[in-house]
Amino acid sequence: MLRGFKNFLMRGDVVVVAIGLIVALAFSTLIKAFTDFVINPIITRIQGKNSIGLGWQLGKPGNPATYVNVGAFISAIVYFVVFMAVVYFMIVVPYKHTQARRGVTVFGDPTPAKTCPSCLSEDIPAAAPKCRYCGSDQPPQGADRPAQV
C-alpha cells in the first residue's frame, strides 16, 4: 500500500503541479503586496483620504491610506526570491537527483520539436516520421531548412 502511494507521489506531473502551486502562492503574495502598498494608496489619493516607512506620501502627512509603501513591496520581492530558492534547493534539486537515479530526466532542456505542415501542431518531435495529431507524413529532419547558396 505504501509503495503505491510513493509511486503516485513520485510521478513527474504530480511534483510539477505541486511546484506550480507553490510558485503561484508565492507570486500571489508578491502581487498582493504590490496592490496593497503601491496601487491602493494611489487610488486612495485620487479619492481624497493618511503611514510611516520607505516610500512617498501622496496626500496629507500622516495619512496611511495615501502612502506608497515601497518598503513593503521590496520585502515581498525578497520574500519571493528567498521562498523560490528554498523551493528549488529543498524540493527540485532532491527530486531531480532521485529521478536521475531512476533513469528519468526531469526539468531538463526541452527536446527539439518541429511544426506539422498539415495541422500546424508545434510540438512534434524533430525525428518523428508522422504527426501524432493528424497522422500526416513529416519531412525528414533538417529538410525544412532553406538551401545554402
Side-chain angles (χ1 to χ4, degrees):
M1 182 164 83
L2 290 178
R3 184 181 304 169
F5 183 66
K6 176 187 153 205
N7 289 340
F8 169 73
L9 288 179
M10 295 308 288
R11 286 182 44 203
D13 52 350
V14 172
V15 173
V16 170
V17 169
I19 291 171
L21 289 173
I22 291 169
V23 170
L25 180 66
F27 197 65
S28 72
T29 303
L30 185 64
I31 293 171
K32 181 172 178 3
F34 181 73
T35 57
D36 286 350
F37 301 111
V38 177
I39 301 298
N40 288 349
I42 293 171
I43 293 172
T44 305
R45 174 65 182 140
I46 292 170
Q47 293 175 349
K49 290 192 185 183
N50 279 320
S51 197
I52 312 265
L54 177 62
W56 300 276
Q57 184 69 50
L58 298 176
K60 297 177 187 171
N63 183 357
T66 59
Y67 188 76
V68 178
N69 194 346
V70 178
F73 184 63
I74 291 171
S75 296
I77 290 173
V78 169
Y79 169 81
F80 179 76
V81 170
V82 170
F83 191 77
M84 288 297 99
V86 168
V87 167
Y88 181 75
F89 290 111
M90 300 298 283
I91 296 175
V92 174
V93 171
Y95 179 71
K96 283 174 65 173
H97 179 69
T98 303
Q99 292 299 82
R101 287 191 353 213
R102 297 172 85 194
V104 178
T105 302
V106 292
F107 303 117
D109 293 329
T111 58
K114 62 184 174 184
T115 302
C116 175
S118 298
C119 68
L120 302 177
S121 298
E122 296 179 346
D123 61 342
I124 309 298
K130 290 189 175 276
C131 175
R132 72 172 81 170
Y133 301 106
C134 67
S136 64
D137 291 327
Q138 297 296 304
Q141 192 173 4
D144 54 340
R145 291 187 207 152
Q148 300 272 331
V149 178

